[in-house]
Amino acid sequence: METELEQDQEATTALYFNESTPNITTTDANLCNSPQCYMVLTSPEKKAIGTICLLAGPLTFLENILVLLVIASSATLRRRPSYLFISSLALADTFASCFFTISFLDFHLYSQSDGPNIYLFKLGGVTMAFTGSVGSLLLTALDRYLCIYQASNYKVLLTHTRAKLAIVLLWCVTIVISFLPLMGWRCTTKFDPPCSHLFPYVDHHYLAFWTGLQLVVLFLIIVAYVLILWKANRHETAMGGPKSGRQSVKGQARMRMDIQLARTFSLILLILAVCWLPVLSFMMVDVTVTLTNKQQRMFAFCSTLCLVNSCVNPLLYALRCKELRGEGCALLACCKACRERTLGNAQGQRNENASGISKKSKDQAVSDSNPDTISESVDKQ
């Protein structure tokens, strides 16, 4: 009886499915009826991507948390707009290490099929992290541009308050843009065109909008750094000629620091382009043509490059930024001194307790001998 009832239910479900989606067939490669169509990785590919994420994810989190702690512990760095922008970048990379690793592994490795709202919420977190990262790099590039081209008015143009307002505005815009699909700008057909073949429930128009925005931001960053490096190259050429006796040593040191920082952020930009251009290229292609399973698998591997970019950024700061590296060493020295002081206090407390116990034992020994002496004297009396 139960078997017949189950067969009737399966038949009814199949009939309803065929009636509600008559155009979907298993032989049509252009159509999809579930998130399983996006889970295209083979078992070896899952192991490779899982290894990358499990290695880069925790490492990225620890590195960026360390950068945030160093900047937060230094009053000097907190007052400088450059390091406020770096802290914004570190915060975005910290979010990326959490949201991307968890969401990517959950979807591609564990084949977790979430509903539209849950999936778009997770995707919004990943989008927010990477959009904030690219936006923070744009603020950093503009900061370096003003520092070199408007050196005399730099502190007037970019104050501490304006830097904080720029960061707040960046994150507000980033959050709104990232969660637009969750707020309603999603694919009405769920999986069929005009849905993306890279992300379930995502509309082609939103994907084109976000990809175009990222390309515009990258273009602005490239223009800013090209101008910075051009200015730095001209200054290095000028420094190679005869020097005036009135030339300020302090001004030379400041310009050298600006040139070094420009080179540092240019290297960051190069790594950003290498990591992001493949992903953005696949997204632009997805808007215009239908991607194959092989191309979807290639996109999954390219996506991990974004996480690698977030992992490399803190290393560049620690290795090439003297001030940040110096403050990090000072923080470690302070932590070491606190640890030694704590251990010293604990050792002193143990010594004090040990001396107290020794004294108590000595007093107990004297008290034990005194009654005998007193009793003997009483007996003698």
Side-chain angles (χ1 to χ4, degrees), residues 35 38-39 103-104 106-108 112-127 179 181-182 186 190-191 196 198-202 299:
Y38 299 84
M39 304 174 186
S103 300
F104 197 83
D106 192 37
F107 185 81
H108 285 287
Q112 181 67 32
S113 299
D114 297 316
N117 292 332
I118 296 178
Y119 176 83
L120 292 176
F121 177 78
K122 293 180 178 179
L123 182 63
V126 177
T127 306
F179 289 97
L182 184 63
R186 66 181 69 178
K190 293 187 178 181
F191 307 107
S196 168
L198 297 175
F199 307 100
Y201 313 108
V202 175
F299 173 79

PDB file of all heavy atoms in Angstrom, residues 35 38-39 103-104 106-108 112-127 179 181-182 186 190-191 196 198-202 299:
ATOM      1  N   PRO A  35      20.651  24.177  -9.208  1.00  0.00           N
ATOM      2  CA  PRO A  35      22.037  24.640  -8.974  1.00  0.00           C
ATOM      3  C   PRO A  35      23.072  23.580  -9.293  1.00  0.00           C
ATOM      4  O   PRO A  35      24.266  23.902  -9.412  1.00  0.00           O
ATOM      5  CB  PRO A  35      22.038  24.988  -7.482  1.00  0.00           C
ATOM      6  CG  PRO A  35      20.618  25.234  -7.133  1.00  0.00           C
ATOM      7  CD  PRO A  35      19.824  24.311  -7.991  1.00  0.00           C
ATOM      8  N   TYR A  38      25.686  24.107 -12.006  1.00  0.00           N
ATOM      9  CA  TYR A  38      26.856  24.967 -11.777  1.00  0.00           C
ATOM     10  C   TYR A  38      27.960  24.228 -11.019  1.00  0.00           C
ATOM     11  O   TYR A  38      29.046  24.765 -10.858  1.00  0.00           O
ATOM     12  CB  TYR A  38      26.443  26.210 -10.986  1.00  0.00           C
ATOM     13  CG  TYR A  38      25.416  27.061 -11.704  1.00  0.00           C
ATOM     14  CD1 TYR A  38      24.059  26.770 -11.637  1.00  0.00           C
ATOM     15  CD2 TYR A  38      25.807  28.159 -12.456  1.00  0.00           C
ATOM     16  CE1 TYR A  38      23.119  27.543 -12.293  1.00  0.00           C
ATOM     17  CE2 TYR A  38      24.874  28.945 -13.120  1.00  0.00           C
ATOM     18  CZ  TYR A  38      23.534  28.625 -13.038  1.00  0.00           C
ATOM     19  OH  TYR A  38      22.614  29.391 -13.689  1.00  0.00           O
ATOM     20  N   MET A  39      27.670  23.045 -10.537  1.00  0.00           N
ATOM     21  CA  MET A  39      28.657  22.251  -9.796  1.00  0.00           C
ATOM     22  C   MET A  39      29.333  21.299 -10.777  1.00  0.00           C
ATOM     23  O   MET A  39      28.986  20.123 -10.865  1.00  0.00           O
ATOM     24  CB  MET A  39      27.979  21.497  -8.654  1.00  0.00           C
ATOM     25  CG  MET A  39      27.217  22.390  -7.693  1.00  0.00           C
ATOM     26  SD  MET A  39      26.287  21.453  -6.459  1.00  0.00           S
ATOM     27  CE  MET A  39      25.388  22.775  -5.639  1.00  0.00           C
ATOM     28  N   SER A 103      31.937  30.040   1.385  1.00  0.00           N
ATOM     29  CA  SER A 103      30.924  29.914   0.335  1.00  0.00           C
ATOM     30  C   SER A 103      31.412  29.038  -0.813  1.00  0.00           C
ATOM     31  O   SER A 103      30.673  28.203  -1.334  1.00  0.00           O
ATOM     32  CB  SER A 103      30.545  31.302  -0.192  1.00  0.00           C
ATOM     33  OG  SER A 103      30.026  32.111   0.846  1.00  0.00           O
ATOM     34  N   PHE A 104      32.667  29.228  -1.208  1.00  0.00           N
ATOM     35  CA  PHE A 104      33.202  28.478  -2.346  1.00  0.00           C
ATOM     36  C   PHE A 104      33.283  26.989  -2.032  1.00  0.00           C
ATOM     37  O   PHE A 104      32.871  26.151  -2.833  1.00  0.00           O
ATOM     38  CB  PHE A 104      34.581  29.030  -2.702  1.00  0.00           C
ATOM     39  CG  PHE A 104      35.049  28.642  -4.072  1.00  0.00           C
ATOM     40  CD1 PHE A 104      34.643  29.348  -5.184  1.00  0.00           C
ATOM     41  CD2 PHE A 104      35.906  27.570  -4.245  1.00  0.00           C
ATOM     42  CE1 PHE A 104      35.071  28.995  -6.455  1.00  0.00           C
ATOM     43  CE2 PHE A 104      36.340  27.204  -5.510  1.00  0.00           C
ATOM     44  CZ  PHE A 104      35.918  27.924  -6.616  1.00  0.00           C
ATOM     45  N   ASP A 106      31.639  25.405   0.300  1.00  0.00           N
ATOM     46  CA  ASP A 106      30.299  24.899   0.566  1.00  0.00           C
ATOM     47  C   ASP A 106      29.561  24.564  -0.723  1.00  0.00           C
ATOM     48  O   ASP A 106      28.840  23.560  -0.803  1.00  0.00           O
ATOM     49  CB  ASP A 106      29.511  25.940   1.370  1.00  0.00           C
ATOM     50  CG  ASP A 106      28.222  25.368   1.929  1.00  0.00           C
ATOM     51  OD1 ASP A 106      28.232  24.190   2.333  1.00  0.00           O
ATOM     52  OD2 ASP A 106      27.210  26.086   1.959  1.00  0.00           O
ATOM     53  N   PHE A 107      29.771  25.366  -1.752  1.00  0.00           N
ATOM     54  CA  PHE A 107      29.036  25.169  -3.008  1.00  0.00           C
ATOM     55  C   PHE A 107      29.720  24.138  -3.906  1.00  0.00           C
ATOM     56  O   PHE A 107      29.088  23.191  -4.384  1.00  0.00           O
ATOM     57  CB  PHE A 107      28.909  26.507  -3.746  1.00  0.00           C
ATOM     58  CG  PHE A 107      28.072  26.428  -4.993  1.00  0.00           C
ATOM     59  CD1 PHE A 107      26.690  26.468  -4.916  1.00  0.00           C
ATOM     60  CD2 PHE A 107      28.662  26.328  -6.239  1.00  0.00           C
ATOM     61  CE1 PHE A 107      25.906  26.389  -6.055  1.00  0.00           C
ATOM     62  CE2 PHE A 107      27.897  26.252  -7.387  1.00  0.00           C
ATOM     63  CZ  PHE A 107      26.513  26.284  -7.297  1.00  0.00           C
ATOM     64  N   HIS A 108      31.023  24.304  -4.146  1.00  0.00           N
ATOM     65  CA  HIS A 108      31.706  23.470  -5.134  1.00  0.00           C
ATOM     66  C   HIS A 108      32.187  22.129  -4.574  1.00  0.00           C
ATOM     67  O   HIS A 108      32.233  21.142  -5.300  1.00  0.00           O
ATOM     68  CB  HIS A 108      32.886  24.234  -5.740  1.00  0.00           C
ATOM     69  CG  HIS A 108      32.487  25.283  -6.717  1.00  0.00           C
ATOM     70  ND1 HIS A 108      32.026  25.003  -7.980  1.00  0.00           N
ATOM     71  CD2 HIS A 108      32.466  26.637  -6.603  1.00  0.00           C
ATOM     72  CE1 HIS A 108      31.744  26.131  -8.616  1.00  0.00           C
ATOM     73  NE2 HIS A 108      32.002  27.134  -7.814  1.00  0.00           N
ATOM     74  N   GLN A 112      26.401  22.068  -1.669  1.00  0.00           N
ATOM     75  CA  GLN A 112      25.286  22.556  -0.871  1.00  0.00           C
ATOM     76  C   GLN A 112      24.366  23.390  -1.759  1.00  0.00           C
ATOM     77  O   GLN A 112      24.745  24.441  -2.257  1.00  0.00           O
ATOM     78  CB  GLN A 112      25.797  23.408   0.292  1.00  0.00           C
ATOM     79  CG  GLN A 112      24.702  23.953   1.198  1.00  0.00           C
ATOM     80  CD  GLN A 112      23.999  22.849   1.978  1.00  0.00           C
ATOM     81  OE1 GLN A 112      24.623  21.852   2.320  1.00  0.00           O
ATOM     82  NE2 GLN A 112      22.735  23.033   2.255  1.00  0.00           N
ATOM     83  N   SER A 113      23.133  22.928  -1.954  1.00  0.00           N
ATOM     84  CA  SER A 113      22.163  23.631  -2.793  1.00  0.00           C
ATOM     85  C   SER A 113      21.251  24.473  -1.907  1.00  0.00           C
ATOM     86  O   SER A 113      20.260  23.980  -1.357  1.00  0.00           O
ATOM     87  CB  SER A 113      21.340  22.625  -3.614  1.00  0.00           C
ATOM     88  OG  SER A 113      22.180  21.877  -4.475  1.00  0.00           O
ATOM     89  N   ASP A 114      21.610  25.747  -1.754  1.00  0.00           N
ATOM     90  CA  ASP A 114      20.806  26.658  -0.942  1.00  0.00           C
ATOM     91  C   ASP A 114      19.686  27.266  -1.777  1.00  0.00           C
ATOM     92  O   ASP A 114      19.716  27.252  -3.016  1.00  0.00           O
ATOM     93  CB  ASP A 114      21.685  27.772  -0.372  1.00  0.00           C
ATOM     94  CG  ASP A 114      22.754  27.235   0.567  1.00  0.00           C
ATOM     95  OD1 ASP A 114      22.418  26.369   1.403  1.00  0.00           O
ATOM     96  OD2 ASP A 114      23.907  27.675   0.480  1.00  0.00           O
ATOM     97  N   GLY A 115      18.709  27.810  -1.092  1.00  0.00           N
ATOM     98  CA  GLY A 115      17.654  28.532  -1.766  1.00  0.00           C
ATOM     99  C   GLY A 115      18.161  29.845  -2.322  1.00  0.00           C
ATOM    100  O   GLY A 115      19.287  30.275  -2.044  1.00  0.00           O
ATOM    101  N   PRO A 116      17.334  30.541  -3.115  1.00  0.00           N
ATOM    102  CA  PRO A 116      17.787  31.784  -3.747  1.00  0.00           C
ATOM    103  C   PRO A 116      18.264  32.830  -2.754  1.00  0.00           C
ATOM    104  O   PRO A 116      19.318  33.435  -2.951  1.00  0.00           O
ATOM    105  CB  PRO A 116      16.539  32.254  -4.512  1.00  0.00           C
ATOM    106  CG  PRO A 116      15.733  31.019  -4.732  1.00  0.00           C
ATOM    107  CD  PRO A 116      15.985  30.161  -3.542  1.00  0.00           C
ATOM    108  N   ASN A 117      17.507  33.058  -1.682  1.00  0.00           N
ATOM    109  CA  ASN A 117      17.872  34.116  -0.736  1.00  0.00           C
ATOM    110  C   ASN A 117      19.167  33.793   0.006  1.00  0.00           C
ATOM    111  O   ASN A 117      20.030  34.663   0.172  1.00  0.00           O
ATOM    112  CB  ASN A 117      16.736  34.345   0.261  1.00  0.00           C
ATOM    113  CG  ASN A 117      15.512  34.949  -0.392  1.00  0.00           C
ATOM    114  OD1 ASN A 117      15.619  35.655  -1.397  1.00  0.00           O
ATOM    115  ND2 ASN A 117      14.344  34.673   0.156  1.00  0.00           N
ATOM    116  N   ILE A 118      19.310  32.556   0.439  1.00  0.00           N
ATOM    117  CA  ILE A 118      20.529  32.183   1.171  1.00  0.00           C
ATOM    118  C   ILE A 118      21.736  32.242   0.248  1.00  0.00           C
ATOM    119  O   ILE A 118      22.802  32.764   0.625  1.00  0.00           O
ATOM    120  CB  ILE A 118      20.377  30.779   1.783  1.00  0.00           C
ATOM    121  CG1 ILE A 118      19.252  30.772   2.831  1.00  0.00           C
ATOM    122  CG2 ILE A 118      21.676  30.321   2.423  1.00  0.00           C
ATOM    123  CD1 ILE A 118      18.996  29.417   3.446  1.00  0.00           C
ATOM    124  N   TYR A 119      21.589  31.732  -0.959  1.00  0.00           N
ATOM    125  CA  TYR A 119      22.718  31.757  -1.893  1.00  0.00           C
ATOM    126  C   TYR A 119      23.114  33.187  -2.237  1.00  0.00           C
ATOM    127  O   TYR A 119      24.307  33.528  -2.257  1.00  0.00           O
ATOM    128  CB  TYR A 119      22.365  30.997  -3.165  1.00  0.00           C
ATOM    129  CG  TYR A 119      23.460  31.059  -4.206  1.00  0.00           C
ATOM    130  CD1 TYR A 119      24.546  30.186  -4.155  1.00  0.00           C
ATOM    131  CD2 TYR A 119      23.433  32.016  -5.219  1.00  0.00           C
ATOM    132  CE1 TYR A 119      25.563  30.247  -5.088  1.00  0.00           C
ATOM    133  CE2 TYR A 119      24.448  32.089  -6.160  1.00  0.00           C
ATOM    134  CZ  TYR A 119      25.511  31.211  -6.084  1.00  0.00           C
ATOM    135  OH  TYR A 119      26.521  31.287  -7.004  1.00  0.00           O
ATOM    136  N   LEU A 120      22.128  34.044  -2.517  1.00  0.00           N
ATOM    137  CA  LEU A 120      22.440  35.423  -2.877  1.00  0.00           C
ATOM    138  C   LEU A 120      23.001  36.198  -1.694  1.00  0.00           C
ATOM    139  O   LEU A 120      23.783  37.144  -1.882  1.00  0.00           O
ATOM    140  CB  LEU A 120      21.188  36.112  -3.423  1.00  0.00           C
ATOM    141  CG  LEU A 120      20.696  35.582  -4.776  1.00  0.00           C
ATOM    142  CD1 LEU A 120      19.405  36.259  -5.176  1.00  0.00           C
ATOM    143  CD2 LEU A 120      21.761  35.778  -5.855  1.00  0.00           C
ATOM    144  N   PHE A 121      22.634  35.824  -0.479  1.00  0.00           N
ATOM    145  CA  PHE A 121      23.230  36.456   0.702  1.00  0.00           C
ATOM    146  C   PHE A 121      24.716  36.092   0.806  1.00  0.00           C
ATOM    147  O   PHE A 121      25.567  36.956   1.067  1.00  0.00           O
ATOM    148  CB  PHE A 121      22.483  36.017   1.966  1.00  0.00           C
ATOM    149  CG  PHE A 121      23.075  36.574   3.227  1.00  0.00           C
ATOM    150  CD1 PHE A 121      22.843  37.891   3.606  1.00  0.00           C
ATOM    151  CD2 PHE A 121      23.874  35.779   4.045  1.00  0.00           C
ATOM    152  CE1 PHE A 121      23.394  38.402   4.770  1.00  0.00           C
ATOM    153  CE2 PHE A 121      24.426  36.280   5.207  1.00  0.00           C
ATOM    154  CZ  PHE A 121      24.188  37.602   5.574  1.00  0.00           C
ATOM    155  N   LYS A 122      25.038  34.816   0.608  1.00  0.00           N
ATOM    156  CA  LYS A 122      26.447  34.398   0.626  1.00  0.00           C
ATOM    157  C   LYS A 122      27.233  35.065  -0.496  1.00  0.00           C
ATOM    158  O   LYS A 122      28.350  35.551  -0.289  1.00  0.00           O
ATOM    159  CB  LYS A 122      26.542  32.880   0.505  1.00  0.00           C
ATOM    160  CG  LYS A 122      26.006  32.104   1.705  1.00  0.00           C
ATOM    161  CD  LYS A 122      26.153  30.604   1.474  1.00  0.00           C
ATOM    162  CE  LYS A 122      25.672  29.805   2.660  1.00  0.00           C
ATOM    163  NZ  LYS A 122      25.797  28.334   2.433  1.00  0.00           N
ATOM    164  N   LEU A 123      26.633  35.083  -1.692  1.00  0.00           N
ATOM    165  CA  LEU A 123      27.304  35.709  -2.824  1.00  0.00           C
ATOM    166  C   LEU A 123      27.486  37.202  -2.590  1.00  0.00           C
ATOM    167  O   LEU A 123      28.511  37.778  -2.978  1.00  0.00           O
ATOM    168  CB  LEU A 123      26.497  35.469  -4.102  1.00  0.00           C
ATOM    169  CG  LEU A 123      27.094  36.031  -5.398  1.00  0.00           C
ATOM    170  CD1 LEU A 123      28.427  35.360  -5.712  1.00  0.00           C
ATOM    171  CD2 LEU A 123      26.120  35.858  -6.553  1.00  0.00           C
ATOM    172  N   GLY A 124      26.522  37.832  -1.937  1.00  0.00           N
ATOM    173  CA  GLY A 124      26.649  39.250  -1.609  1.00  0.00           C
ATOM    174  C   GLY A 124      27.811  39.520  -0.668  1.00  0.00           C
ATOM    175  O   GLY A 124      28.505  40.535  -0.800  1.00  0.00           O
ATOM    176  N   GLY A 125      28.054  38.611   0.287  1.00  0.00           N
ATOM    177  CA  GLY A 125      29.199  38.770   1.180  1.00  0.00           C
ATOM    178  C   GLY A 125      30.515  38.702   0.433  1.00  0.00           C
ATOM    179  O   GLY A 125      31.432  39.492   0.668  1.00  0.00           O
ATOM    180  N   VAL A 126      30.619  37.750  -0.498  1.00  0.00           N
ATOM    181  CA  VAL A 126      31.841  37.627  -1.303  1.00  0.00           C
ATOM    182  C   VAL A 126      32.016  38.862  -2.189  1.00  0.00           C
ATOM    183  O   VAL A 126      33.118  39.422  -2.301  1.00  0.00           O
ATOM    184  CB  VAL A 126      31.790  36.352  -2.161  1.00  0.00           C
ATOM    185  CG1 VAL A 126      33.018  36.257  -3.058  1.00  0.00           C
ATOM    186  CG2 VAL A 126      31.685  35.114  -1.279  1.00  0.00           C
ATOM    187  N   THR A 127      30.931  39.296  -2.828  1.00  0.00           N
ATOM    188  CA  THR A 127      30.987  40.477  -3.690  1.00  0.00           C
ATOM    189  C   THR A 127      31.378  41.714  -2.895  1.00  0.00           C
ATOM    190  O   THR A 127      32.173  42.546  -3.356  1.00  0.00           O
ATOM    191  CB  THR A 127      29.631  40.692  -4.378  1.00  0.00           C
ATOM    192  OG1 THR A 127      29.240  39.495  -5.053  1.00  0.00           O
ATOM    193  CG2 THR A 127      29.701  41.826  -5.376  1.00  0.00           C
ATOM    194  N   PHE A 179      24.579  43.718  -2.546  1.00  0.00           N
ATOM    195  CA  PHE A 179      23.353  42.999  -2.167  1.00  0.00           C
ATOM    196  C   PHE A 179      22.148  43.386  -3.024  1.00  0.00           C
ATOM    197  O   PHE A 179      21.012  43.124  -2.631  1.00  0.00           O
ATOM    198  CB  PHE A 179      23.052  43.240  -0.685  1.00  0.00           C
ATOM    199  CG  PHE A 179      24.019  42.538   0.237  1.00  0.00           C
ATOM    200  CD1 PHE A 179      25.095  43.225   0.765  1.00  0.00           C
ATOM    201  CD2 PHE A 179      23.871  41.204   0.540  1.00  0.00           C
ATOM    202  CE1 PHE A 179      26.000  42.589   1.600  1.00  0.00           C
ATOM    203  CE2 PHE A 179      24.764  40.554   1.378  1.00  0.00           C
ATOM    204  CZ  PHE A 179      25.846  41.251   1.912  1.00  0.00           C
ATOM    205  N   PRO A 181      21.250  41.942  -5.882  1.00  0.00           N
ATOM    206  CA  PRO A 181      20.497  40.727  -6.249  1.00  0.00           C
ATOM    207  C   PRO A 181      19.602  40.224  -5.134  1.00  0.00           C
ATOM    208  O   PRO A 181      18.494  39.746  -5.399  1.00  0.00           O
ATOM    209  CB  PRO A 181      21.609  39.720  -6.571  1.00  0.00           C
ATOM    210  CG  PRO A 181      22.772  40.552  -6.973  1.00  0.00           C
ATOM    211  CD  PRO A 181      22.695  41.769  -6.102  1.00  0.00           C
ATOM    212  N   LEU A 182      20.070  40.320  -3.898  1.00  0.00           N
ATOM    213  CA  LEU A 182      19.242  39.880  -2.774  1.00  0.00           C
ATOM    214  C   LEU A 182      18.046  40.796  -2.588  1.00  0.00           C
ATOM    215  O   LEU A 182      16.973  40.348  -2.157  1.00  0.00           O
ATOM    216  CB  LEU A 182      20.087  39.848  -1.498  1.00  0.00           C
ATOM    217  CG  LEU A 182      19.400  39.322  -0.238  1.00  0.00           C
ATOM    218  CD1 LEU A 182      18.985  37.867  -0.414  1.00  0.00           C
ATOM    219  CD2 LEU A 182      20.328  39.463   0.975  1.00  0.00           C
ATOM    220  N   ARG A 186      17.457  40.158  -9.502  1.00  0.00           N
ATOM    221  CA  ARG A 186      17.881  38.783  -9.741  1.00  0.00           C
ATOM    222  C   ARG A 186      17.223  38.247 -11.002  1.00  0.00           C
ATOM    223  O   ARG A 186      16.355  38.886 -11.593  1.00  0.00           O
ATOM    224  CB  ARG A 186      17.502  37.892  -8.563  1.00  0.00           C
ATOM    225  CG  ARG A 186      16.001  37.719  -8.372  1.00  0.00           C
ATOM    226  CD  ARG A 186      15.693  36.853  -7.179  1.00  0.00           C
ATOM    227  NE  ARG A 186      16.034  37.526  -5.930  1.00  0.00           N
ATOM    228  CZ  ARG A 186      15.819  36.983  -4.724  1.00  0.00           C
ATOM    229  NH1 ARG A 186      15.298  35.776  -4.633  1.00  0.00           N
ATOM    230  NH2 ARG A 186      16.132  37.654  -3.635  1.00  0.00           N
ATOM    231  N   LYS A 190      15.301  32.024 -12.688  1.00  0.00           N
ATOM    232  CA  LYS A 190      16.131  31.243 -11.766  1.00  0.00           C
ATOM    233  C   LYS A 190      17.409  30.721 -12.403  1.00  0.00           C
ATOM    234  O   LYS A 190      18.496  31.037 -11.956  1.00  0.00           O
ATOM    235  CB  LYS A 190      15.326  30.082 -11.167  1.00  0.00           C
ATOM    236  CG  LYS A 190      14.213  30.531 -10.245  1.00  0.00           C
ATOM    237  CD  LYS A 190      13.571  29.342  -9.572  1.00  0.00           C
ATOM    238  CE  LYS A 190      12.475  29.799  -8.599  1.00  0.00           C
ATOM    239  NZ  LYS A 190      11.846  28.653  -7.915  1.00  0.00           N
ATOM    240  N   PHE A 191      17.316  29.890 -13.448  1.00  0.00           N
ATOM    241  CA  PHE A 191      18.516  29.289 -14.026  1.00  0.00           C
ATOM    242  C   PHE A 191      18.627  29.490 -15.537  1.00  0.00           C
ATOM    243  O   PHE A 191      19.717  29.434 -16.087  1.00  0.00           O
ATOM    244  CB  PHE A 191      18.560  27.785 -13.725  1.00  0.00           C
ATOM    245  CG  PHE A 191      18.404  27.469 -12.270  1.00  0.00           C
ATOM    246  CD1 PHE A 191      17.225  26.926 -11.789  1.00  0.00           C
ATOM    247  CD2 PHE A 191      19.423  27.736 -11.372  1.00  0.00           C
ATOM    248  CE1 PHE A 191      17.074  26.641 -10.446  1.00  0.00           C
ATOM    249  CE2 PHE A 191      19.283  27.456 -10.029  1.00  0.00           C
ATOM    250  CZ  PHE A 191      18.112  26.908  -9.560  1.00  0.00           C
ATOM    251  N   SER A 196      22.884  34.035 -15.462  1.00  0.00           N
ATOM    252  CA  SER A 196      24.302  33.779 -15.680  1.00  0.00           C
ATOM    253  C   SER A 196      24.588  32.286 -15.621  1.00  0.00           C
ATOM    254  O   SER A 196      23.925  31.540 -14.891  1.00  0.00           O
ATOM    255  CB  SER A 196      25.121  34.503 -14.606  1.00  0.00           C
ATOM    256  OG  SER A 196      26.460  34.072 -14.608  1.00  0.00           O
ATOM    257  N   LEU A 198      27.514  31.328 -14.647  1.00  0.00           N
ATOM    258  CA  LEU A 198      28.556  31.256 -13.623  1.00  0.00           C
ATOM    259  C   LEU A 198      27.984  31.294 -12.218  1.00  0.00           C
ATOM    260  O   LEU A 198      28.539  30.696 -11.304  1.00  0.00           O
ATOM    261  CB  LEU A 198      29.556  32.408 -13.807  1.00  0.00           C
ATOM    262  CG  LEU A 198      30.348  32.410 -15.115  1.00  0.00           C
ATOM    263  CD1 LEU A 198      31.203  33.658 -15.212  1.00  0.00           C
ATOM    264  CD2 LEU A 198      31.205  31.158 -15.222  1.00  0.00           C
ATOM    265  N   PHE A 199      26.874  32.016 -12.035  1.00  0.00           N
ATOM    266  CA  PHE A 199      26.267  32.176 -10.719  1.00  0.00           C
ATOM    267  C   PHE A 199      24.763  31.929 -10.814  1.00  0.00           C
ATOM    268  O   PHE A 199      24.086  32.591 -11.609  1.00  0.00           O
ATOM    269  CB  PHE A 199      26.512  33.588 -10.162  1.00  0.00           C
ATOM    270  CG  PHE A 199      27.952  33.999 -10.155  1.00  0.00           C
ATOM    271  CD1 PHE A 199      28.464  34.817 -11.154  1.00  0.00           C
ATOM    272  CD2 PHE A 199      28.797  33.564  -9.154  1.00  0.00           C
ATOM    273  CE1 PHE A 199      29.786  35.201 -11.151  1.00  0.00           C
ATOM    274  CE2 PHE A 199      30.131  33.936  -9.136  1.00  0.00           C
ATOM    275  CZ  PHE A 199      30.622  34.748 -10.140  1.00  0.00           C
ATOM    276  N   PRO A 200      24.223  31.019 -10.034  1.00  0.00           N
ATOM    277  CA  PRO A 200      22.770  30.808 -10.044  1.00  0.00           C
ATOM    278  C   PRO A 200      22.026  32.055  -9.576  1.00  0.00           C
ATOM    279  O   PRO A 200      22.519  32.804  -8.728  1.00  0.00           O
ATOM    280  CB  PRO A 200      22.583  29.646  -9.059  1.00  0.00           C
ATOM    281  CG  PRO A 200      23.925  29.001  -8.933  1.00  0.00           C
ATOM    282  CD  PRO A 200      24.927  30.078  -9.153  1.00  0.00           C
ATOM    283  N   TYR A 201      20.859  32.258 -10.137  1.00  0.00           N
ATOM    284  CA  TYR A 201      19.931  33.321  -9.752  1.00  0.00           C
ATOM    285  C   TYR A 201      20.435  34.724 -10.087  1.00  0.00           C
ATOM    286  O   TYR A 201      19.776  35.715  -9.763  1.00  0.00           O
ATOM    287  CB  TYR A 201      19.604  33.282  -8.245  1.00  0.00           C
ATOM    288  CG  TYR A 201      19.256  31.924  -7.722  1.00  0.00           C
ATOM    289  CD1 TYR A 201      20.143  31.235  -6.891  1.00  0.00           C
ATOM    290  CD2 TYR A 201      18.059  31.305  -8.045  1.00  0.00           C
ATOM    291  CE1 TYR A 201      19.847  29.977  -6.396  1.00  0.00           C
ATOM    292  CE2 TYR A 201      17.739  30.048  -7.565  1.00  0.00           C
ATOM    293  CZ  TYR A 201      18.643  29.388  -6.740  1.00  0.00           C
ATOM    294  OH  TYR A 201      18.346  28.141  -6.258  1.00  0.00           O
ATOM    295  N   VAL A 202      21.597  34.875 -10.713  1.00  0.00           N
ATOM    296  CA  VAL A 202      22.170  36.189 -11.013  1.00  0.00           C
ATOM    297  C   VAL A 202      21.822  36.573 -12.443  1.00  0.00           C
ATOM    298  O   VAL A 202      22.047  35.800 -13.382  1.00  0.00           O
ATOM    299  CB  VAL A 202      23.701  36.186 -10.818  1.00  0.00           C
ATOM    300  CG1 VAL A 202      24.305  37.521 -11.257  1.00  0.00           C
ATOM    301  CG2 VAL A 202      24.045  35.907  -9.370  1.00  0.00           C
ATOM    302  N   PHE A 299      36.809  28.973 -14.846  1.00  0.00           N
ATOM    303  CA  PHE A 299      36.422  30.140 -14.047  1.00  0.00           C
ATOM    304  C   PHE A 299      36.540  29.846 -12.554  1.00  0.00           C
ATOM    305  O   PHE A 299      36.956  30.716 -11.773  1.00  0.00           O
ATOM    306  CB  PHE A 299      34.987  30.548 -14.384  1.00  0.00           C
ATOM    307  CG  PHE A 299      34.447  31.624 -13.495  1.00  0.00           C
ATOM    308  CD1 PHE A 299      34.802  32.949 -13.695  1.00  0.00           C
ATOM    309  CD2 PHE A 299      33.588  31.318 -12.440  1.00  0.00           C
ATOM    310  CE1 PHE A 299      34.313  33.952 -12.870  1.00  0.00           C
ATOM    311  CE2 PHE A 299      33.098  32.299 -11.616  1.00  0.00           C
ATOM    312  CZ  PHE A 299      33.456  33.631 -11.830  1.00  0.00           C
TER     313      PHE A 299
END
